[in-house]
Amino acid sequence: MLSRSKASKNSFMPTDSLIGRGTEVEGALACEANVRVEGKFSGVIESRACVTIGEHAVAHSDISAREVIIAGKVYGDVQAEGKLTITSTGQMFGDVLAASSLVITEGGILNGSSKMEPKSNEQQDTVPPIDVHLVETEAG
């Protein structure tokens, strides 16, 4: 039997979530832990950890997570605090709203736009503006 203190410590540890193959879910999913979709999901997915869309999975979802891995099909926009990976079997039909790095393996598909901005602690190299003066010559 677990002591009371060990049981209470374990109750606050996040548990990974799985939507298995053959399962269809519709709604909103918000969690602290990793999420893996192997079936079909329609709705918003938010996680403070990693979201993985498996090779046979289909997600009609806007996804927001620390890291996102797409090996199946995603129809929706993705926002990743860290890395977004589209594997060789992955297909994404939507926009990358944010990602600190984007990896598309050969064969992977991104049909949408992507926007990447430097992290706030990275200094941006700025180019000073160039003052251009047009001069008209008599040579014609």
Side-chain angles (χ1 to χ4, degrees):
M1 184 170 141
L2 290 175
S3 70
R4 192 169 186 91
S5 63
K6 284 186 180 180
S8 64
K9 284 181 187 177
N10 289 337
S11 66
F12 293 107
M13 293 180 60
T15 303
D16 291 348
S17 299
L18 170 67
I19 297 172
R21 200 167 177 183
T23 302
E24 294 185 29
V25 177
E26 187 174 329
L29 174 62
C31 65
E32 301 285 323
N34 297 324
V35 175
R36 184 173 186 93
V37 177
E38 291 292 343
K40 294 181 180 178
F41 189 91
S42 294
V44 176
I45 300 174
E46 294 180 0
S47 173
R48 292 186 182 254
C50 180
V51 172
T52 301
I53 307 300
E55 192 171 324
H56 302 287
V58 177
H60 292 269
S61 305
D62 289 338
I63 301 171
S64 177
R66 187 188 77 237
E67 181 178 349
V68 179
I69 300 169
I70 299 173
K73 293 181 182 177
V74 172
Y75 298 91
D77 299 335
V78 172
Q79 189 167 358
E81 292 174 28
K83 181 167 47 172
L84 166 59
T85 303
I86 301 174
T87 70
S88 61
T89 59
Q91 299 178 21
M92 182 179 156
F93 302 92
D95 296 335
V96 179
L97 302 178
S100 64
S101 66
L102 173 61
V103 177
I104 303 175
T105 306
E106 186 175 347
I109 294 171
L110 170 59
N111 191 354
S113 65
S114 66
K115 181 177 181 178
M116 296 175 64
E117 295 187 15
K119 294 180 183 176
S120 59
N121 61 353
E122 293 178 4
Q123 291 184 358
Q124 295 183 9
D125 294 331
T126 57
V127 177
I130 300 172
D131 194 13
V132 177
H133 298 282
L134 298 176
V135 179
E136 192 173 310
T137 62
E138 292 180 23

